C-alpha cells in the first residue's frame, strides 16, 4: 500500500474556491489570522473515526435537533393532557409520582429539551467555526439564531409551567429583566411577589405560549432550510433511534424529581437549576437589570452580524451561465442543483424543449451543474465541462500522468496531505463539479485510476457533491463516464477518511499492476 | 477499542446532560429574611374643578361639551421605613406613567436578620390638596352626576394622606414577610408564610 500522501500538483486554473485563510475581516488586529475553519473541520472529521461520517454527531447536530424537537412535541402532547392550569405544581407532582405514565415521559421531555440546546449550540458553533454563515447559508444562519432564541423562550415557559422553585426563580428574574424596560404600567414582578394571588390567566397564557411557540419553531425551521434543495431533516435511522432510546434510558436511569412548590414567602437556600436554560442566572443576579439587556442585545447583535463581520470569502466566483444553443432541456442540472438556483423555462428561439435558466441571486458557483451536464452547456464561467476537458487535455500530459493515480480532491474537505510520487493531486471546488469528461481525459492520458476525494457525504460543503459524483460514476445519473472508462477505476471516497483514501489509491495501483501483468 | 471509545463519549455526554439538567444553585446566601413591601395604590388627585358657563360651553364642539371641567395632577407621597429604629427606607413615590397619573406600584425588599423585629412603615402625602375654589352648584344632568360620583369614588379609593404600620414581626430564617395595602380598609396588611411552622 502506498503511503497516503499526495503531492499537490497545483490547483486547476478553472477551480475557484474560497480562500480558507481569510476568516476574519481584513482589520484582524491580533497578528496571524487563526485558521479556525480548517481546524474545526479537522476536529469534526476526527470524530468520524469514532462514529463514521454517516453517524458523526457533529455533522448530524442539526438533524438531531429536529429529532429532539419531534420528541418534545410527542411527549409534550402527552404531558398536556395531565397538566392542570388551576393546580400547576400539584398536577406536575402527580405525574412525576406516576412512574408508569408520567415520570419517564416528563424525563424524556426534560432531557430532550436540554439535549436540543446542546445540539443547536453545537450546530451553531460548527457553522460559525467552519464559516458556513454567509452566501447561501445567510438565511439559515439568521433564522438559526432566531430558532435558538425561540428554543430558549420555549424552555423557560416550560419550566415556569411547573411552578416549582426553579420556575418561580425564572419567572421573577425574567420579570426583573422585562421591568427594566419602561413598557408595562404595572411591574411584572408584582404579579409574582405582590400581595395578590397569581391569576390563573398567567398560567393559561404561559401554557399557550409553551404550546404555540413550537409552531413558530416549525415555521422557523421551514425558513431555515428553505434556501436549499432537498434539505436533510432527519439523521440516519440508527442514529435517531439511538437518540430516542438514549433519552428513554436516561429518563428511567435518572428519574426526574420535582422541586418544592414555589413559595413567595420563602427564600430557597438552594434551587435545582437547569443550567442549559439558566446558565445566565448567576451573572444576571450580579448585574443590574439593564446589564441583562446590554448582554443579550450585544450577544444577539454579534451573532446576527457574524455573516457580515466575517465577510464574503475571497474567490467567490461568478454564477453559472447557460449556453442555450447547447442546452438540450434534459433538466438534469435543475435536478442536481443543491440550491434550487436553476429553473427550466420555455425557449424563445422556437425550439421545442425547455432551456435551463440560472437564478443569479441563488447561484453560489459551486459548479455542480457543470458536472451534471452531458453536453457541457452549463457551469460557472471558465469551469463548465468543456473548460474542464480543455484544461485536462492540456495539463494531464501523458508522461506526468501515466501509471499514476489522479486524485481530484475537494478544496473544502478536511484532512492532511503530504507528497507521494504515486498520486497526482488536483484540487477542485467540489467533487460534484467534476465533469466525467475530465475523468476520461485523465484515463486517456494513462492514469491508473481516478480518486474523487470529497467531503464526507453528510458534511459536503455544497451539500450533495459526493452523492452525485458516486451516482454518476455508477452510471445511475447524468452525466455518465465516457465510453471506455471502467467505472471500477474511478473511486469516490471521503477525503477525511485517510484509511479509505489510502485503500482506494492502493486498490487502483494494484489493479493497474495486474492489468499490466496480464 | 474505537467502539468502546465512541460509547464512552456518548455516556459522558449523557452524564453531562443529566448533571447540567438539575444542579443546585445557592440563590440566597445566608439566613437573612426579607421584609417585602409590595403593593399598588392610586394616588390622590389634586385637582380644581369648575363649571363652565353657557357661553363657554357654546364655544366647545358639541361632542366635547362637559359642564364640569377638572384640571390637576396626582399627589406625591413619601415612603419611610424603620426596622428596630434604624432608618431603612426613605423615598418619594409618584404615580406611574409619563404624567405620573397612574397607580403607584411599589416593590422593595429589605434584607433583615431573623428574630423579633419592630417594623414601622409609613406613607405620607407630600402635597397638600388645594381646597375646591368654586362650588360646583347644582349638577343638572345624569351624566354630570355620574361623573361627579366617579370622581368621588376615585378620591375615596386613593391612598389617604397618611398610612402607617407599626408592629413587631417574628421573622424566620429566609422567611419573607409581605407588607401589602388594603384599599378598602386604607391600611397596610401584613402576610407571612401560611405554612409557617409554629
Amino acid at each position: 500500500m502506498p503511503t497516503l500522501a499526495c503531492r499537490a500538483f497545483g490547483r486547476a486554473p478553472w477551480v475557484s474556491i474560497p480562500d480558507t485563510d481569510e476568516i476574519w475581516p481584513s482589520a484582524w488586529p491580533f497578528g496571524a489570522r487563526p485558521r479556525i475553519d480548517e481546524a474545526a473541520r479537522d476536529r469534526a472529521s476526527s470524530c468520524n473515526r469514532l462514529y463514521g461520517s454517516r453517524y458523526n454527531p457533529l455533522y448530524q447536530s442539526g438533524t438531531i435537533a429536529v429529532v429532539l424537537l419531534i420528541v418534545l412535541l410527542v411527549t409534550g402532547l402527552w404531558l398536556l393532557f395531565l397538566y392542570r392550569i388551576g393546580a400547576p405544581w400539584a398536577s406536575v407532582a402527580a405525574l412525576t409520582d406516576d412512574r408508569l405514565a408520567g415520570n419517564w415521559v416528563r424525563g424524556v421531555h426534560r432531557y430532550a429539551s436540554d439535549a436540543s440546546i446542546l445540539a443547536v449550540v453545537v450546530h451553531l458553533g460548527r457553522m460559525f467555526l467552519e464559516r458556513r454563515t454567509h452566501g447561501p447559508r445567510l438565511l439559515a444562519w439568521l433564522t438559526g439564531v432566531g430558532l435558538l432564541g425561540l428554543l430558549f423562550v420555549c424552555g423557560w415557559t416550560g419550566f415556569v409551567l411547573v411552578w416549582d422553585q426553579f420556575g418561580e426563580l425564572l419567572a421573577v428574574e425574567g420579570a426583573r429583566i422585562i421591568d427594566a424596560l419602561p413598557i408595562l404600567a404595572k411591574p411584572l414582578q408584582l404579579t409574582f411577589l405582590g400581595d395578590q394571588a397569581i391569576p390563573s390567566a398567567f398560567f393559561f397564557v404561559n401554557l399557550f405560549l409553551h404550546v404555540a411557540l413550537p409552531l413558530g419553531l416549525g415555521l422557523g425551521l421551514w425558513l431555515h432550510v428553505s434556501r436549499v434543495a432537498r434539505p436533510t431533516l432527519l439523521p440516519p435511522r440508527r442514529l435517531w433511534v439511538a437518540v430516542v432510546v438514549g433519552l428513554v434510558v436516561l429518563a428511567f436511569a435518572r428519574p426526574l424529581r420535582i422541586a418544592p412548590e414555589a413559595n413567595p414567602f420563602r427564600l430557597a437556600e438552594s434551587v435545582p437549576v437547569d443550567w442549559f436554560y439558566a446558565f445566565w442566572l448567576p451573572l444576571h443576579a450580579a448585574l443590574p437589570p439593564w446589564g441583562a439587556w446590554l448582554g443579550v442585545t450585544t450577544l444577539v447583535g454579534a451573532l446576527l452580524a457574524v455573516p457580515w463581520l466575517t465577510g464574503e470569502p475571497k474567490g467567490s466566483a461568478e454564477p453559472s451561465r447557460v449556453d442555450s444553443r447547447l442546452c438540450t432541456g434534459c433538466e438534469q442540472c435543475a435536478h442536481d442543483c443543491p440550491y434550487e438556483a436553476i429553473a427550466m423555462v420555455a425557449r424563445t428561439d422556437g425550439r421545442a424543449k425547455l432551456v435551463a435558466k440560472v437564478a443569479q441571486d441563488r447561484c453560489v458557483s459551486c459548479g455542480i451543474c457543470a458536472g451534471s451536464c452531458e453536453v457541457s452547456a452549463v457551469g460557472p464561467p471558465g469551469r463548465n465541462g468543456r473548460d474542464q476537458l480543455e484544461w485536462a487535455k492540456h495539463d494531464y500530459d501523458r508522461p506526468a500522468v501515466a501509471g499514476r493515480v489522479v486524485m481530484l480532491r475537494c478544496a473544502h474537505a478536511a484532512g492532511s496531505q503530504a507528497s507521494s510520487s504515486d498520486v497526482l493531486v488536483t484540487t477542485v471546488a467540489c467533487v460534484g463539479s467534476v465533469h466525467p469528461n475530465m475523468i476520461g481525459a485523465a484515463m486517456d492520458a494513462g492514469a491508473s485510476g481516478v480518486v474523487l476525494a470529497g467531503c464526507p457525504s453528510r458534511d459536503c460543503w455544497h451539500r450533495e457533491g459526493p452523492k452525485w459524483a458516486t451516482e454518476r460514476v455508477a452510471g445511475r445519473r447524468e452525466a455518465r463516464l465516457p465510453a471506455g472508462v471502467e467505472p471500477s477505476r474511478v473511486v469516490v471516497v471521503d477525503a477525511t477518511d485517510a484509511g479509505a483514501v489510502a485503500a482506494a489509491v492502493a486498490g487502483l495501483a494494484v489493479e493497474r499492476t495486474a492489468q499490466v501483468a496480464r | 477499542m474505537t467502539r468502546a471509545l465512541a460509547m464512552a463519549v456518548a455516556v459522558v455526554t449523557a452524564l453531562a446532560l443529566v448533571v447540567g439538567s438539575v444542579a443546585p444553585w445557592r440563590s440566597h446566601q445566608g439566613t437573612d429574611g426579607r421584609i417585602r413591601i409590595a403593593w399598588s395604590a392610586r394616588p390622590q388627585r389634586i385637582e380644581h374643578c369648575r363649571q363652565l358657563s353657557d357661553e363657554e360651553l357654546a364655544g366647545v364642539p358639541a361632542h366635547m361639551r362637559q359642564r364640569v371641567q377638572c384640571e390637576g395632577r396626582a399627589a406625591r407621597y413619601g415612603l419611610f421605613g424603620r426596622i428596630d429604629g434604624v432608618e431603612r427606607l426613605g423615598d418619594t413615590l409618584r404615580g406611574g406613567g409619563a404624567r405620573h397619573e397612574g397607580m403607584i406600584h411599589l416593590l422593595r425588599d429589605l434584607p433583615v436578620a431573623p428574630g423579633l423585629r419592630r417594623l414601622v412603615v409609613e406613607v405620607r402625602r407630600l402635597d397638600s390638596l388645594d381646597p375646591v375654589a368654586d362650588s360646583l352648584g347644582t349638577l343638572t344632568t345624569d351624566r354630570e352626576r355620574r361623573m361627579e360620583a366617579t370622581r368621588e369614588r376615585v378620591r375615596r379609593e386613593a391612598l389617604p394622606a397618611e398610612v402607617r404600620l407599626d408592629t413587631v414581626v417574628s421573622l424566620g430564617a429566609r422567611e419573607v414577610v409581605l407588607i401589602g395595602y388594603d384599599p378598602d380598609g386604607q391600611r397596610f396588611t401584613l402576610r407571612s408564610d401560611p405554612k409557617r411552622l409554629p
Side-chain angles (χ1 to χ4, degrees), chain A residues 49 51 110 114 195 263 265-267 271 273-275, chain B residues 2 6 20-21 23 25 105 173-174 176 181 191 193:
Chain A
R49 280 179 226 126
Y51 299 99
R110 171 73 164 270
D114 292 333
D195 55 350
N263 181 355
F265 296 104
R266 283 274 159 200
L267 303 173
V271 178
V273 165
D274 187 313
W275 291 103
Chain B
T2 307
S21 182
W25 180 51
H105 299 291
R174 283 185 291 280
V176 178
Y181 174 70
R191 288 176 63 196
D193 190 354

PDB file of all heavy atoms in Angstrom, chain A residues 49 51 110 114 195 263 265-267 271 273-275, chain B residues 2 6 20-21 23 25 105 173-174 176 181 191 193:
ATOM      1  N   ARG A  49     -13.718   9.042  13.113  1.00  0.00           N
ATOM      2  CA  ARG A  49     -13.038   7.795  13.496  1.00  0.00           C
ATOM      3  C   ARG A  49     -13.841   7.056  14.552  1.00  0.00           C
ATOM      4  O   ARG A  49     -13.768   5.842  14.663  1.00  0.00           O
ATOM      5  CB  ARG A  49     -11.643   8.124  14.040  1.00  0.00           C
ATOM      6  CG  ARG A  49     -10.662   8.363  12.921  1.00  0.00           C
ATOM      7  CD  ARG A  49      -9.294   8.717  13.463  1.00  0.00           C
ATOM      8  NE  ARG A  49      -8.781   9.862  12.722  1.00  0.00           N
ATOM      9  CZ  ARG A  49      -8.346  10.983  13.266  1.00  0.00           C
ATOM     10  NH1 ARG A  49      -8.324  11.115  14.555  1.00  0.00           N
ATOM     11  NH2 ARG A  49      -7.910  11.959  12.508  1.00  0.00           N
ATOM     12  N   TYR A  51     -17.368   7.505  15.085  1.00  0.00           N
ATOM     13  CA  TYR A  51     -18.754   7.180  14.712  1.00  0.00           C
ATOM     14  C   TYR A  51     -18.943   6.961  13.211  1.00  0.00           C
ATOM     15  O   TYR A  51     -20.035   6.602  12.784  1.00  0.00           O
ATOM     16  CB  TYR A  51     -19.685   8.312  15.175  1.00  0.00           C
ATOM     17  CG  TYR A  51     -19.671   8.505  16.670  1.00  0.00           C
ATOM     18  CD1 TYR A  51     -18.908   9.489  17.267  1.00  0.00           C
ATOM     19  CD2 TYR A  51     -20.411   7.660  17.500  1.00  0.00           C
ATOM     20  CE1 TYR A  51     -18.882   9.652  18.645  1.00  0.00           C
ATOM     21  CE2 TYR A  51     -20.390   7.820  18.876  1.00  0.00           C
ATOM     22  CZ  TYR A  51     -19.621   8.822  19.439  1.00  0.00           C
ATOM     23  OH  TYR A  51     -19.594   8.961  20.794  1.00  0.00           O
ATOM     24  N   ARG A 110     -37.844  16.516  29.427  1.00  0.00           N
ATOM     25  CA  ARG A 110     -36.834  17.393  30.028  1.00  0.00           C
ATOM     26  C   ARG A 110     -35.456  17.168  29.403  1.00  0.00           C
ATOM     27  O   ARG A 110     -34.771  18.123  29.003  1.00  0.00           O
ATOM     28  CB  ARG A 110     -36.803  17.134  31.526  1.00  0.00           C
ATOM     29  CG  ARG A 110     -35.674  17.804  32.290  1.00  0.00           C
ATOM     30  CD  ARG A 110     -35.909  19.303  32.406  1.00  0.00           C
ATOM     31  NE  ARG A 110     -35.040  19.860  33.432  1.00  0.00           N
ATOM     32  CZ  ARG A 110     -35.378  19.969  34.717  1.00  0.00           C
ATOM     33  NH1 ARG A 110     -36.543  19.578  35.137  1.00  0.00           N
ATOM     34  NH2 ARG A 110     -34.544  20.493  35.581  1.00  0.00           N
ATOM     35  N   ASP A 114     -33.067  19.690  27.066  1.00  0.00           N
ATOM     36  CA  ASP A 114     -31.668  20.042  27.333  1.00  0.00           C
ATOM     37  C   ASP A 114     -30.780  19.637  26.164  1.00  0.00           C
ATOM     38  O   ASP A 114     -29.895  20.389  25.749  1.00  0.00           O
ATOM     39  CB  ASP A 114     -31.194  19.349  28.616  1.00  0.00           C
ATOM     40  CG  ASP A 114     -31.895  19.899  29.842  1.00  0.00           C
ATOM     41  OD1 ASP A 114     -32.317  21.067  29.794  1.00  0.00           O
ATOM     42  OD2 ASP A 114     -32.049  19.159  30.824  1.00  0.00           O
ATOM     43  N   ASP A 195     -49.003  41.374  46.769  1.00  0.00           N
ATOM     44  CA  ASP A 195     -49.910  40.867  47.795  1.00  0.00           C
ATOM     45  C   ASP A 195     -51.159  40.226  47.206  1.00  0.00           C
ATOM     46  O   ASP A 195     -52.040  39.810  47.930  1.00  0.00           O
ATOM     47  CB  ASP A 195     -50.297  41.994  48.771  1.00  0.00           C
ATOM     48  CG  ASP A 195     -50.884  43.196  48.046  1.00  0.00           C
ATOM     49  OD1 ASP A 195     -50.803  43.225  46.806  1.00  0.00           O
ATOM     50  OD2 ASP A 195     -51.411  44.092  48.716  1.00  0.00           O
ATOM     51  N   ASN A 263     -42.927  29.339  46.528  1.00  0.00           N
ATOM     52  CA  ASN A 263     -43.496  29.949  47.726  1.00  0.00           C
ATOM     53  C   ASN A 263     -42.891  31.339  47.875  1.00  0.00           C
ATOM     54  O   ASN A 263     -41.716  31.482  48.200  1.00  0.00           O
ATOM     55  CB  ASN A 263     -43.158  29.080  48.951  1.00  0.00           C
ATOM     56  CG  ASN A 263     -43.754  29.656  50.216  1.00  0.00           C
ATOM     57  OD1 ASN A 263     -44.343  30.739  50.217  1.00  0.00           O
ATOM     58  ND2 ASN A 263     -43.614  28.928  51.313  1.00  0.00           N
ATOM     59  N   PHE A 265     -43.151  33.329  50.101  1.00  0.00           N
ATOM     60  CA  PHE A 265     -42.832  33.701  51.483  1.00  0.00           C
ATOM     61  C   PHE A 265     -41.568  33.015  51.987  1.00  0.00           C
ATOM     62  O   PHE A 265     -41.248  33.102  53.166  1.00  0.00           O
ATOM     63  CB  PHE A 265     -44.012  33.358  52.403  1.00  0.00           C
ATOM     64  CG  PHE A 265     -45.234  34.157  52.074  1.00  0.00           C
ATOM     65  CD1 PHE A 265     -46.295  33.597  51.392  1.00  0.00           C
ATOM     66  CD2 PHE A 265     -45.303  35.494  52.430  1.00  0.00           C
ATOM     67  CE1 PHE A 265     -47.413  34.339  51.075  1.00  0.00           C
ATOM     68  CE2 PHE A 265     -46.425  36.244  52.115  1.00  0.00           C
ATOM     69  CZ  PHE A 265     -47.477  35.671  51.433  1.00  0.00           C
ATOM     70  N   ARG A 266     -40.913  32.306  51.101  1.00  0.00           N
ATOM     71  CA  ARG A 266     -39.688  31.608  51.494  1.00  0.00           C
ATOM     72  C   ARG A 266     -38.591  31.872  50.477  1.00  0.00           C
ATOM     73  O   ARG A 266     -38.830  31.766  49.266  1.00  0.00           O
ATOM     74  CB  ARG A 266     -39.920  30.092  51.531  1.00  0.00           C
ATOM     75  CG  ARG A 266     -40.649  29.593  52.720  1.00  0.00           C
ATOM     76  CD  ARG A 266     -39.662  29.330  53.859  1.00  0.00           C
ATOM     77  NE  ARG A 266     -40.386  29.328  55.117  1.00  0.00           N
ATOM     78  CZ  ARG A 266     -39.803  29.506  56.288  1.00  0.00           C
ATOM     79  NH1 ARG A 266     -38.521  29.693  56.374  1.00  0.00           N
ATOM     80  NH2 ARG A 266     -40.520  29.490  57.396  1.00  0.00           N
ATOM     81  N   LEU A 267     -37.408  32.216  50.949  1.00  0.00           N
ATOM     82  CA  LEU A 267     -36.255  32.330  50.057  1.00  0.00           C
ATOM     83  C   LEU A 267     -35.570  30.967  50.060  1.00  0.00           C
ATOM     84  O   LEU A 267     -35.092  30.528  51.098  1.00  0.00           O
ATOM     85  CB  LEU A 267     -35.289  33.397  50.560  1.00  0.00           C
ATOM     86  CG  LEU A 267     -35.861  34.802  50.748  1.00  0.00           C
ATOM     87  CD1 LEU A 267     -34.827  35.706  51.401  1.00  0.00           C
ATOM     88  CD2 LEU A 267     -36.281  35.379  49.406  1.00  0.00           C
ATOM     89  N   VAL A 271     -31.649  26.230  44.870  1.00  0.00           N
ATOM     90  CA  VAL A 271     -32.682  25.937  43.865  1.00  0.00           C
ATOM     91  C   VAL A 271     -32.111  24.952  42.841  1.00  0.00           C
ATOM     92  O   VAL A 271     -31.002  25.165  42.338  1.00  0.00           O
ATOM     93  CB  VAL A 271     -33.132  27.233  43.152  1.00  0.00           C
ATOM     94  CG1 VAL A 271     -34.159  26.940  42.071  1.00  0.00           C
ATOM     95  CG2 VAL A 271     -33.688  28.205  44.158  1.00  0.00           C
ATOM     96  N   VAL A 273     -31.422  23.979  39.522  1.00  0.00           N
ATOM     97  CA  VAL A 273     -31.461  24.774  38.287  1.00  0.00           C
ATOM     98  C   VAL A 273     -31.104  23.906  37.082  1.00  0.00           C
ATOM     99  O   VAL A 273     -30.255  23.034  37.167  1.00  0.00           O
ATOM    100  CB  VAL A 273     -30.462  25.951  38.419  1.00  0.00           C
ATOM    101  CG1 VAL A 273     -30.173  26.596  37.079  1.00  0.00           C
ATOM    102  CG2 VAL A 273     -31.004  26.985  39.383  1.00  0.00           C
ATOM    103  N   ASP A 274     -31.784  24.139  35.987  1.00  0.00           N
ATOM    104  CA  ASP A 274     -31.391  23.521  34.713  1.00  0.00           C
ATOM    105  C   ASP A 274     -30.420  24.485  34.033  1.00  0.00           C
ATOM    106  O   ASP A 274     -30.814  25.539  33.538  1.00  0.00           O
ATOM    107  CB  ASP A 274     -32.629  23.296  33.823  1.00  0.00           C
ATOM    108  CG  ASP A 274     -32.272  22.513  32.575  1.00  0.00           C
ATOM    109  OD1 ASP A 274     -31.264  22.872  31.936  1.00  0.00           O
ATOM    110  OD2 ASP A 274     -32.987  21.555  32.239  1.00  0.00           O
ATOM    111  N   TRP A 275     -29.159  24.103  34.022  1.00  0.00           N
ATOM    112  CA  TRP A 275     -28.119  25.043  33.570  1.00  0.00           C
ATOM    113  C   TRP A 275     -28.114  25.229  32.073  1.00  0.00           C
ATOM    114  O   TRP A 275     -27.507  26.178  31.561  1.00  0.00           O
ATOM    115  CB  TRP A 275     -26.754  24.592  34.074  1.00  0.00           C
ATOM    116  CG  TRP A 275     -26.675  24.746  35.557  1.00  0.00           C
ATOM    117  CD1 TRP A 275     -26.779  23.763  36.483  1.00  0.00           C
ATOM    118  CD2 TRP A 275     -26.558  25.976  36.286  1.00  0.00           C
ATOM    119  NE1 TRP A 275     -26.729  24.293  37.750  1.00  0.00           N
ATOM    120  CE2 TRP A 275     -26.590  25.654  37.658  1.00  0.00           C
ATOM    121  CE3 TRP A 275     -26.445  27.306  35.920  1.00  0.00           C
ATOM    122  CZ2 TRP A 275     -26.498  26.619  38.651  1.00  0.00           C
ATOM    123  CZ3 TRP A 275     -26.356  28.267  36.913  1.00  0.00           C
ATOM    124  CH2 TRP A 275     -26.383  27.926  38.254  1.00  0.00           C
TER     125      TRP A 275
ATOM    126  N   THR B   2     -12.182   1.404  19.274  1.00  0.00           N
ATOM    127  CA  THR B   2     -12.863   2.593  18.777  1.00  0.00           C
ATOM    128  C   THR B   2     -14.317   2.606  19.235  1.00  0.00           C
ATOM    129  O   THR B   2     -14.843   3.636  19.646  1.00  0.00           O
ATOM    130  CB  THR B   2     -12.818   2.613  17.238  1.00  0.00           C
ATOM    131  OG1 THR B   2     -11.473   2.457  16.841  1.00  0.00           O
ATOM    132  CG2 THR B   2     -13.364   3.906  16.701  1.00  0.00           C
ATOM    133  N   ALA B   6     -16.146   5.341  21.434  1.00  0.00           N
ATOM    134  CA  ALA B   6     -17.363   6.010  20.955  1.00  0.00           C
ATOM    135  C   ALA B   6     -18.463   5.895  22.005  1.00  0.00           C
ATOM    136  O   ALA B   6     -19.176   6.873  22.291  1.00  0.00           O
ATOM    137  CB  ALA B   6     -17.815   5.386  19.639  1.00  0.00           C
ATOM    138  N   GLY B  20     -26.045  18.648  34.093  1.00  0.00           N
ATOM    139  CA  GLY B  20     -26.409  20.029  33.770  1.00  0.00           C
ATOM    140  C   GLY B  20     -27.903  20.268  33.875  1.00  0.00           C
ATOM    141  O   GLY B  20     -28.347  21.396  34.029  1.00  0.00           O
ATOM    142  N   SER B  21     -28.667  19.194  33.789  1.00  0.00           N
ATOM    143  CA  SER B  21     -30.121  19.334  33.789  1.00  0.00           C
ATOM    144  C   SER B  21     -30.667  19.741  35.155  1.00  0.00           C
ATOM    145  O   SER B  21     -31.593  20.541  35.241  1.00  0.00           O
ATOM    146  CB  SER B  21     -30.750  18.018  33.346  1.00  0.00           C
ATOM    147  OG  SER B  21     -32.126  18.134  33.300  1.00  0.00           O
ATOM    148  N   ALA B  23     -28.933  20.849  38.686  1.00  0.00           N
ATOM    149  CA  ALA B  23     -27.818  21.069  39.608  1.00  0.00           C
ATOM    150  C   ALA B  23     -28.186  22.235  40.509  1.00  0.00           C
ATOM    151  O   ALA B  23     -28.755  23.223  40.050  1.00  0.00           O
ATOM    152  CB  ALA B  23     -26.541  21.369  38.825  1.00  0.00           C
ATOM    153  N   TRP B  25     -28.260  25.515  42.846  1.00  0.00           N
ATOM    154  CA  TRP B  25     -27.641  26.841  42.853  1.00  0.00           C
ATOM    155  C   TRP B  25     -28.077  27.569  44.120  1.00  0.00           C
ATOM    156  O   TRP B  25     -29.277  27.651  44.403  1.00  0.00           O
ATOM    157  CB  TRP B  25     -28.062  27.634  41.620  1.00  0.00           C
ATOM    158  CG  TRP B  25     -27.460  29.005  41.578  1.00  0.00           C
ATOM    159  CD1 TRP B  25     -26.143  29.327  41.722  1.00  0.00           C
ATOM    160  CD2 TRP B  25     -28.146  30.248  41.400  1.00  0.00           C
ATOM    161  NE1 TRP B  25     -25.958  30.667  41.625  1.00  0.00           N
ATOM    162  CE2 TRP B  25     -27.170  31.274  41.427  1.00  0.00           C
ATOM    163  CE3 TRP B  25     -29.474  30.597  41.205  1.00  0.00           C
ATOM    164  CZ2 TRP B  25     -27.481  32.605  41.290  1.00  0.00           C
ATOM    165  CZ3 TRP B  25     -29.792  31.938  41.055  1.00  0.00           C
ATOM    166  CH2 TRP B  25     -28.807  32.928  41.098  1.00  0.00           C
ATOM    167  N   HIS B 105     -46.954  51.846  42.025  1.00  0.00           N
ATOM    168  CA  HIS B 105     -46.587  50.444  42.221  1.00  0.00           C
ATOM    169  C   HIS B 105     -45.291  50.414  43.017  1.00  0.00           C
ATOM    170  O   HIS B 105     -44.293  51.029  42.618  1.00  0.00           O
ATOM    171  CB  HIS B 105     -46.383  49.741  40.883  1.00  0.00           C
ATOM    172  CG  HIS B 105     -47.609  49.724  40.030  1.00  0.00           C
ATOM    173  ND1 HIS B 105     -48.729  48.998  40.343  1.00  0.00           N
ATOM    174  CD2 HIS B 105     -47.895  50.368  38.867  1.00  0.00           C
ATOM    175  CE1 HIS B 105     -49.642  49.176  39.413  1.00  0.00           C
ATOM    176  NE2 HIS B 105     -49.177  50.012  38.513  1.00  0.00           N
ATOM    177  N   ALA B 173     -35.666  32.330  59.535  1.00  0.00           N
ATOM    178  CA  ALA B 173     -34.547  32.308  58.582  1.00  0.00           C
ATOM    179  C   ALA B 173     -35.093  32.162  57.169  1.00  0.00           C
ATOM    180  O   ALA B 173     -35.935  31.294  56.905  1.00  0.00           O
ATOM    181  CB  ALA B 173     -33.613  31.150  58.899  1.00  0.00           C
ATOM    182  N   ARG B 174     -34.632  33.013  56.293  1.00  0.00           N
ATOM    183  CA  ARG B 174     -35.026  33.025  54.868  1.00  0.00           C
ATOM    184  C   ARG B 174     -36.542  33.148  54.687  1.00  0.00           C
ATOM    185  O   ARG B 174     -37.104  32.692  53.716  1.00  0.00           O
ATOM    186  CB  ARG B 174     -34.507  31.785  54.138  1.00  0.00           C
ATOM    187  CG  ARG B 174     -33.033  31.872  53.826  1.00  0.00           C
ATOM    188  CD  ARG B 174     -32.582  30.705  53.002  1.00  0.00           C
ATOM    189  NE  ARG B 174     -32.614  29.481  53.740  1.00  0.00           N
ATOM    190  CZ  ARG B 174     -31.680  29.097  54.590  1.00  0.00           C
ATOM    191  NH1 ARG B 174     -30.629  29.856  54.791  1.00  0.00           N
ATOM    192  NH2 ARG B 174     -31.785  27.966  55.234  1.00  0.00           N
ATOM    193  N   VAL B 176     -40.021  35.432  54.280  1.00  0.00           N
ATOM    194  CA  VAL B 176     -40.426  36.720  53.703  1.00  0.00           C
ATOM    195  C   VAL B 176     -41.716  37.166  54.381  1.00  0.00           C
ATOM    196  O   VAL B 176     -42.666  36.385  54.484  1.00  0.00           O
ATOM    197  CB  VAL B 176     -40.661  36.604  52.182  1.00  0.00           C
ATOM    198  CG1 VAL B 176     -41.137  37.932  51.611  1.00  0.00           C
ATOM    199  CG2 VAL B 176     -39.400  36.151  51.474  1.00  0.00           C
ATOM    200  N   TYR B 181     -51.183  46.418  50.777  1.00  0.00           N
ATOM    201  CA  TYR B 181     -52.071  47.553  51.066  1.00  0.00           C
ATOM    202  C   TYR B 181     -53.504  47.143  50.750  1.00  0.00           C
ATOM    203  O   TYR B 181     -53.785  46.583  49.685  1.00  0.00           O
ATOM    204  CB  TYR B 181     -51.664  48.767  50.228  1.00  0.00           C
ATOM    205  CG  TYR B 181     -52.617  49.923  50.366  1.00  0.00           C
ATOM    206  CD1 TYR B 181     -52.680  50.636  51.557  1.00  0.00           C
ATOM    207  CD2 TYR B 181     -53.452  50.296  49.314  1.00  0.00           C
ATOM    208  CE1 TYR B 181     -53.556  51.691  51.696  1.00  0.00           C
ATOM    209  CE2 TYR B 181     -54.331  51.359  49.447  1.00  0.00           C
ATOM    210  CZ  TYR B 181     -54.385  52.050  50.638  1.00  0.00           C
ATOM    211  OH  TYR B 181     -55.261  53.083  50.790  1.00  0.00           O
ATOM    212  N   ARG B 191     -48.509  39.921  55.768  1.00  0.00           N
ATOM    213  CA  ARG B 191     -48.729  38.495  55.480  1.00  0.00           C
ATOM    214  C   ARG B 191     -47.415  37.753  55.565  1.00  0.00           C
ATOM    215  O   ARG B 191     -46.364  38.257  55.174  1.00  0.00           O
ATOM    216  CB  ARG B 191     -49.307  38.318  54.068  1.00  0.00           C
ATOM    217  CG  ARG B 191     -50.755  38.764  53.962  1.00  0.00           C
ATOM    218  CD  ARG B 191     -51.216  38.657  52.540  1.00  0.00           C
ATOM    219  NE  ARG B 191     -51.199  37.273  52.068  1.00  0.00           N
ATOM    220  CZ  ARG B 191     -51.259  36.936  50.787  1.00  0.00           C
ATOM    221  NH1 ARG B 191     -51.287  37.861  49.862  1.00  0.00           N
ATOM    222  NH2 ARG B 191     -51.266  35.680  50.434  1.00  0.00           N
ATOM    223  N   ASP B 193     -45.743  33.436  55.619  1.00  0.00           N
ATOM    224  CA  ASP B 193     -45.948  32.103  55.067  1.00  0.00           C
ATOM    225  C   ASP B 193     -47.101  31.393  55.782  1.00  0.00           C
ATOM    226  O   ASP B 193     -47.032  31.159  56.993  1.00  0.00           O
ATOM    227  CB  ASP B 193     -44.658  31.293  55.240  1.00  0.00           C
ATOM    228  CG  ASP B 193     -44.711  29.997  54.470  1.00  0.00           C
ATOM    229  OD1 ASP B 193     -45.784  29.699  53.912  1.00  0.00           O
ATOM    230  OD2 ASP B 193     -43.680  29.312  54.425  1.00  0.00           O
TER     231      ASP B 193
END
